Amino acid sequence: MKITLDSTPANAVDTACLVIGVFSKAALQGSADLVNQASNGALQKLIDSSDVDTSWKCATLLHGLPGVAAERILVMGCGETDKFDAVRYDLVCKSAGKFLRDHAVTSAHFCLNDIQASDLNEHWRLRQAAVNLDWSNYLYTATKAPKDDDHEPLKAASFSAGDELQPALEQARGFAAGYRRSRELGNLPPNICNPAYLESEAREIAGLYANVDIEVLGQEEMAALKMSALLAVGQGSVNEPKLIVMKYRGKDDTSPPVVLVGKGITFDSGGLSLKPGPNMEQMKFDMGGAASVIGAFEACALMQLPVNVVCVVAAAENMPDGKAYRPGDVLTSMSGKTIEVLNTDAEGRLVLCDALTYSEQFNPAALIDVATLTGACVIALGNHASAIMSKHDDLADELIEAGQQAVDRGWRLPLWDDYQAQLKSLFADMKNVGGMPAGSVTAGCFLSRFTEGQRWAHIDCAGTTWKWGGDEGSTGRPVGLLTQFLINQA
Ligand code: BES
Ligand code: MN
Ligand code: ZN
C-alpha cells in the first residue's frame, strides 16, 4: 500500500473516498467541519436525522455531497469524546480500513488523523492511522487465490497532513512492513514455514540492507557449541533445527545492542507428550515470537534507526518419532546446567535457554525473548495483552510504555524467586515444567536461570500473536511493542 501526505483542504480533495471522523453529541471539528461548511450544513443534517451513526466504530458511506470534491465520504463514528483514547482511535482506523476493503475502494484520502483528542499528538495519530489502515488491508494469498468476489485491498492512501509529518509516515512504513512480515509467517502452513523457510526469509531481509549481516547455525555448528537442549527438541523432526542470527548496525560497533530472541517452533505437536488432536493445527503459530522479532528487526532496518540490534531465532519443529527426545531424558544445556524433561510439550523454554546463553556473547544493552510459551498465558490475559516478565523494573516499565504507545499492550507478571521451587528436580538442576500453578511465571523462572547477570525480559505472546474467532489469523503482535521499544532506544 502506497502512503503519502496531502494537505489539500478536505472538501477540495479529489479522491474516490474521503474518510472523516465525527464524535457523538459534539461540534464537528477539522475536516468534518470543513466538509459540513462546504456542503452547506448537509453533513450536520444527516447526523441530526440519525442517517449518520456517530457511535464508536460505526461507518456510514455518503455519496455526492454538494460542494465536496470527493466521490464518496466515509464517515467514521468516534463515539463519546470523553471515552475516546488511543485504543479507541486505533480501532476506528482499523474499522475504516476494513470497511474500505469490503467496499472495493482501492484509493482513499484519510482525515481521521486530524481529530483532536487529548494525549494523542498529530505525529502519533498519523502514524497509527497509516499502520492500522495497512494492517486491515493485509490479505493472505500464499496458498489460496482471492475468490472472484473478494475485493482488492486498498492500493493507495493519502493522509491529511503537511510535509513536516514525513517522519511519522517513515515510522508507519516500518511498523507496517514489520506487521506484514510477522503475520505472513504466522499464517503460512507448517509444511511451508519450517526452520529452513525462516532462514530463507531472514536471508532475504539481510540481502536488502547493507548494514545487516546474517549467520545461520545448523545442527553441526550447534552441536559444537553444546546446545543440547535446543537440538533435543528438533531431533524428532526431519526438518533440521536452525539458529538464525541477524545483526543490524545502526550505530558505532562499540555500542551494546538490543538482542531480541524469538521462539521459532514452526510446528508444536507436543512431541511424545503429544497434544490432543482438536486445534493441533493452531500450533503452526508457535513461531509467533520468532515472526515478531524478525518483523521488528525488519522495521528497524527499514527505518534505519540509530541503534544496534541483534535478532536470534531458535527454529525447530517439535515432533514425535523414534528419534524424538523423551520424558525422563536429562539434557545438558549450553550453559552446563542440566534439565530433566518431564514433558516434551514444554519445548519452547528448551530452545530458548540455549539461544539465551548463546546471546550473552553480544553483551546486550537489553536481552528480550519473545515466545508463544504457555497456554496459561492465554488463560491469564486472553488476546488483549502479552505477558511481560523481568527482574529489572526499568526494563519492564520501558516495555509496558512501548506497548501503550504502539497500542500493542503488555502487562507484567511477577518473577519472584518464590516460584523457583516448583522447578526442583531429583535428577537434574531443574525440570522443564513447574506444574499447574502459575504456568506462565514458572516458564519465565526457568528462563531466568539462563540469563543471570543480564538485563533481561521475557514476553509471552501466546494469547496476542493469534486471533481466534470469526476472522482467525495471525495478528503480527508484538511487532508494535518491539518496534516502539527500538524507536525509544534510538
Ligand atoms: N506452544 C505451547 C503454548 C501455547 C499453547 C501457545 C496454546 C499458544 C496457545 C507450548 O509449547 C506448550 O505446549 N506449553 C505447555 C507447557 C506445559 C506442558 C508445562 C502448555 O502451556 O500447556
Ligand atoms: Mn509445546
Ligand atoms: Zn510450543
Side-chain angles (χ1 to χ4, degrees), residues 248-315:
Y248 166 78
R249 242 173 310 100
K251 226 177 161 177
D252 59 286
D253 288 341
T254 56
S255 172
V258 172
V259 180
L260 303 175
V261 179
K263 168 179 173 183
I265 298 296
T266 58
F267 186 67
D268 180 13
S269 69
L272 288 175
S273 311
L274 195 65
K275 284 183 182 294
N279 300 325
M280 198 198 270
E281 77 288 349
Q282 290 185 355
M283 280 302 114
K284 70 173 182 176
F285 76 73
D286 211 18
M287 31 55 70
S292 69
V293 298
I294 292 172
F297 182 88
E298 182 174 24
C300 173
L302 199 147
M303 294 182 283
Q304 287 291 305
L305 295 177
V307 58
N308 290 337
V309 182
V310 179
C311 176
V312 178
V313 169

Side-chain angles (χ1 to χ4, degrees), residues 182 285 288-289 291-292 372 383 461-467 473-478:
S182 178
F285 76 73
S292 69
T372 49
N383 189 229
C461 62
T464 50
T465 203
W466 188 261
K467 190 179 177 306
S474 171
T475 63
R477 291 176 68 185

Side-chain angles (χ1 to χ4, degrees), residues 80 147 233 236-237 264 304 316 345 380 413:
E80 291 160 46
K147 291 195 286 317
V233 172
S237 168
Q304 287 291 305
D345 198 11
L413 295 179

Side-chain angles (χ1 to χ4, degrees), residues 200-211:
S200 69
E201 286 278 297
R203 287 200 188 280
E204 181 193 304
I205 293 167
L208 292 174
Y209 302 96
N211 55 351

